[in-house]
Amino acid sequence: MRALNLIAYLKPIRSTTMQINITTSKANKEVVSELTKKLPTNPRENVIARIALGFSLSTGKKFVPQDFNKYDSQGKEYKETVLFEADMRDYYVALICQHYGISKNDDYIPKYVKLHIDDGLERLDYLFKSNPQYTFLDFLIEYLGKGIDAIEDAPVSLDAVKNNNLHLDKTEFGGPIEIKIGYNPMTKEEIRFCLNGPLYNNQHIAVAGKSGSGKTEFAKEFLRQLVVKTQGQVNFLFLDFKGISVEDQEKMKDFFEVTQTKCINAPSEPFPLNPLTFIDTINEKNRSVGINKFVDIIAKYSNIGKVQQQTLKDATKEAFIQSNGQVPSLKQISDIVFEKMGDKRDSLTELFDRLSNDYELFSNTEKNPGKFLNKNYYLSLSGDLDSTVRFTSVFLIINYIFNIFTNLGSSNVVDGYRSMRYVLVIDEAHDLFREKKSLEILEVLLRKIRSYGVSVFLLSQGIAEYNQGNFDFSQECETAFLLPINDMANTKATNKFLGLSDKEGDKAKRNLESLKNGQAISNIKEYTKAGVFDVVQYWKEK
């Protein structure tokens, strides 16, 4: 719908001194009076002019300069202050600007306003004369309904959904965060890397290393130091796609205790998050956009059809209404979906049965988003889970994190140091990269969340997985660490992953050939580019 992009025009419009004083055609002077009589409560005649303007624009009609003399100016006169009133002027001018793709200072704006008012008056006059029983209330119900449907059916943007009623107290750390990432193999001197310092444009990190190379132990030690350095003010979520065994969970018990991390082994325990709490519960438009975003994520990763999407959208709206200003749970939505479907079962009911009944992956009682974000979690997604459920759950979480931090606003930068709030670690990220539907939302996450004090830490078995055709995830990560990988001969890919020149690439190739498990090369600016070093390992450092 054309009104969706109005906000781009609203703030700067007030700077224009253009006066929009218009006079309708002589023929439409009488039309104004007759149509005004049809309106309830007998309003002023400027109301019908505004309705005519909007009605004409809604048809998609566009005039050209050759049409400027189409109507005479001998009818009803409107001064700008009467036509729009001061508090409404910006919105109507924005409609014209957006409709024609023109600047707020375009000289043609008054002419377009007149043309659309005359055109709208003609259309309204014809509509009511052709339908004698048709009332203005019928008209408003019909066309306001069409406008609302157009907003709700518009393509869902991957950008964050606005939430003016998000009350969240998230801790952050504003000083330099220096992490010991390894040792010089010759001198044993410590190598330190400042995660949030002025040397780096973003805090995203890409790590590649084959199984057994030490990348997971490196990530664990990185997180341990992060907790210590920031006094626990920067929290993290570690997404594990392998799934953690009971034996491995016991082995990691020390890490969980030291970092004060809660391990959630899905689906045996629900994740303490309601993925719908990013949705505004008060502002109706924001809520509608948020519901559309939620339905779009479900549709994208579960392949439900248009009819099912509408059923889910209706069920979600109803759940918000029933919740009386609170955020409903997935279980509440699931119950409404099953009620609407009756005895019929399809892919939508099957998905929600698994999400909220069979598995109960998300908490049905958690209401406070800050409780989740101010703690550390390790989420293990068992390979026994249905892939649709796994990916749907992951992207509900990723969407939630992106929306919450975006609504919190940018974090401060003091003396070049970005204040940090959160780290999202995705282990076995190649599982996500292989899922083509996930690429778009991951790309938006990496590009747009960087200024909100959030670091995305990606771990994958190789470097080829980072490059997915039109988008290379490693290029959005300022810092890269390369441990031993299986495809070490791909010099071009290595150079791109680390951001190396051809000369630096020759050195990197030689160093890669000699890399042992527990060693790496990197592009950090605090050490020789592509120089070999021993990476920190949690099991050693603890």
Side-chain angles (χ1 to χ4, degrees):
M1 186 181 181
R2 296 172 177 81
L4 290 179
N5 294 325
L6 290 182
I7 195 66
Y9 295 95
L10 295 183
K11 292 183 179 179
I13 281 178
R14 293 188 182 279
S15 60
T16 180
T17 58
M18 180 191 308
Q19 289 293 306
I20 305 178
N21 303 318
I22 69 105
T23 305
T24 70
S25 69
K26 184 177 182 179
N28 277 330
K29 183 175 183 179
E30 183 64 24
V31 172
V32 169
S33 298
E34 291 301 316
L35 290 176
T36 299
K37 293 176 184 177
K38 293 181 179 292
L39 289 169
T41 70
N42 194 27
R44 295 191 301 171
E45 291 184 342
N46 58 355
V47 173
I48 197 63
R50 296 178 190 177
I51 293 174
L53 173 60
F55 187 42
S56 176
L57 288 169
S58 73
T59 66
K61 173 71 175 180
K62 285 190 176 181
F63 292 100
V64 295
Q66 289 81 357
D67 296 321
F68 287 164
N69 295 321
K70 179 177 181 179
Y71 299 101
D72 63 59
S73 297
Q74 300 177 32
K76 175 68 178 179
E77 183 180 354
Y78 289 106
K79 295 292 185 183
E80 177 183 288
T81 53
V82 174
L83 180 60
F84 297 131
E85 298 179 3
D87 60 339
M88 298 297 295
R89 179 188 189 280
D90 292 352
Y91 292 97
Y92 286 100
V93 173
L95 281 169
I96 296 293
C97 291
Q98 204 273 340
H99 188 70
Y100 285 94
I102 58 177
S103 161
K104 66 185 183 298
N105 296 316
D106 195 292
D107 292 336
Y108 288 165
I109 289 175
K111 296 181 182 294
Y112 288 134
V113 170
K114 171 184 164 49
L115 283 167
H116 281 289
I117 288 177
D118 273 322
D119 176 69
L121 288 169
E122 284 185 348
R123 291 174 184 271
L124 288 169
D125 185 47
Y126 177 80
L127 179 64
F128 284 102
K129 285 181 177 177
S130 301
N131 301 276
Q133 306 304 316
Y134 192 64
T135 69
F136 226 104
L137 185 59
D138 295 328
F139 170 81
L140 292 175
I141 291 173
E142 178 182 354
Y143 285 94
L144 286 176
K146 286 181 179 180
I148 292 170
D149 289 343
I151 290 175
E152 294 184 344
D153 295 337
V156 179
S157 169
L158 289 172
D159 288 342
V161 176
K162 190 174 181 181
N163 187 342
N164 295 326
N165 301 288
L166 179 67
H167 304 293
L168 176 64
D169 182 19
K170 177 68 191 81
T171 60
E172 62 181 65
F173 184 83
I177 304 175
E178 283 198 348
I179 305 291
K180 179 175 65 175
I181 52 96
Y183 303 89
N184 185 308
M186 303 298 294
T187 66
K188 305 305 178 184
E189 180 182 1
E190 293 182 354
I191 303 168
R192 295 186 175 273
F193 154 70
C194 188
L195 172 67
N196 61 334
L199 295 177
Y200 301 95
N201 293 321
N202 68 53
Q203 288 70 50
H204 300 330
I205 299 172
V207 179
K210 64 183 179 181
S211 180
S213 64
K215 67 179 184 296
T216 302
E217 289 296 312
F218 169 62
K220 286 163 58 181
E221 174 57 20
F222 190 101
L223 293 173
R224 184 194 70 80
Q225 293 185 49
L226 177 77
V227 171
V228 173
K229 295 284 184 181
T230 67
Q231 295 90 52
Q233 294 181 72
V234 178
N235 301 100
F236 65 82
L237 169 62
F238 194 116
L239 290 175
D240 178 5
F241 276 92
K242 300 187 302 292
I244 189 171
S245 66
V246 175
E247 181 182 358
D248 287 339
Q249 189 170 346
E250 183 62 29
K251 289 179 180 178
M252 291 184 67
K253 185 177 179 181
D254 180 70
F255 170 75
F256 296 144
E257 290 178 352
V258 169
T259 58
Q260 297 183 0
T261 299
K262 171 70 173 176
C263 178
I264 304 292
N265 195 359
S268 61
E269 185 178 358
F271 197 59
L273 166 72
N274 181 345
L276 284 91
T277 49
F278 76 94
I279 299 175
D280 195 325
T281 58
I282 297 177
N283 183 283
E284 188 172 349
K285 180 179 177 182
N286 292 344
R287 183 170 65 251
S288 178
V289 175
I291 290 172
N292 285 355
K293 185 79 170 286
F294 164 69
V295 172
D296 186 62
I297 290 173
I298 297 293
K300 189 181 291 291
Y301 301 104
S302 62
N303 292 318
I304 61 174
K306 291 291 185 182
V307 174
Q308 294 165 310
Q309 290 179 45
Q310 189 60 51
T311 299
L312 177 56
K313 186 183 297 184
D314 292 342
T316 307
K317 288 179 182 177
E318 192 171 324
F320 269 89
I321 293 171
Q322 292 180 7
S323 296
N324 296 318
Q326 300 297 314
V327 178
S329 66
L330 284 178
K331 181 65 167 62
Q332 288 174 275
I333 295 173
S334 177
D335 290 344
I336 296 173
V337 167
F338 276 90
E339 183 181 339
K340 287 180 175 293
M341 298 298 292
D343 295 332
K344 183 180 178 182
R345 294 293 178 262
D346 58 11
S347 55
L348 175 62
T349 56
E350 182 180 355
L351 173 65
F352 270 82
D353 206 20
R354 293 179 178 179
L355 278 176
S356 59
N357 295 324
D358 291 350
Y359 297 140
E360 193 181 346
L361 290 177
F362 295 99
S363 170
N364 288 316
T365 58
E366 187 57 57
K367 302 292 185 182
N368 181 7
K371 185 176 179 181
F372 159 65
L373 292 174
N374 281 293
K375 293 183 179 180
N376 302 324
Y377 288 97
Y378 185 102
L379 176 58
S380 165
L381 291 159
S382 170
D384 295 334
L385 282 169
D386 176 85
S387 62
T388 297
V389 173
R390 291 174 76 209
F391 284 108
T392 301
S393 301
V394 165
F395 284 101
L396 284 173
I397 294 171
I398 290 176
N399 171 73
Y400 170 85
I401 290 173
F402 174 53
N403 276 272
I404 290 293
F405 283 107
T406 302
N407 274 284
L408 282 178
S410 298
S411 62
N412 295 324
V413 178
V414 180
D415 297 329
Y417 295 97
R418 164 83 55 192
S419 292
M420 296 300 295
R421 293 166 170 157
Y422 205 75
V423 176
L424 172 62
V425 183
I426 303 178
D427 197 8
E428 307 298 330
H430 46 270
D431 284 343
L432 287 187
F433 298 154
R434 293 190 189 115
E435 184 65 29
K436 299 302 180 184
K437 298 172 186 176
S438 71
L439 301 183
E440 195 174 7
I441 193 171
L442 282 175
E443 178 183 348
V444 172
L445 175 75
L446 287 170
R447 287 188 189 280
K448 297 194 175 183
I449 206 170
R450 63 181 63 177
S451 64
Y452 300 105
V454 178
S455 168
V456 180
F457 194 126
L458 300 172
L459 298 157
S460 187
Q461 292 183 6
I463 53 180
E465 292 90 341
Y466 280 93
N467 190 353
Q468 295 293 324
N470 295 330
F471 187 74
D472 189 333
F473 287 93
S474 67
Q475 300 306 293
E476 290 299 321
C477 298
E478 181 80 1
T479 307
F481 295 94
L482 182 55
L483 285 73
I485 56 174
N486 291 322
D487 187 16
M488 292 189 291
N490 192 340
T491 305
K492 184 177 180 181
T494 300
N495 293 352
K496 188 174 183 181
F497 183 75
L498 295 172
L500 304 177
S501 65
D502 291 340
K503 184 177 180 180
E504 292 168 333
D506 292 337
K507 177 183 176 182
K509 182 179 179 181
R510 293 192 299 271
N511 288 341
L512 268 175
E513 292 171 350
S514 65
L515 272 189
K516 302 174 184 178
N517 288 340
Q519 291 186 321
I521 61 176
S522 177
N523 63 354
I524 63 168
K525 297 176 174 60
E526 294 90 341
Y527 189 64
T528 305
K529 188 176 285 189
V532 176
F533 62 92
D534 299 326
V535 296
V536 292
Q537 302 279 275
Y538 176 77
W539 67 272
K540 287 184 178 181
E541 297 291 328
K542 68 178 181 178

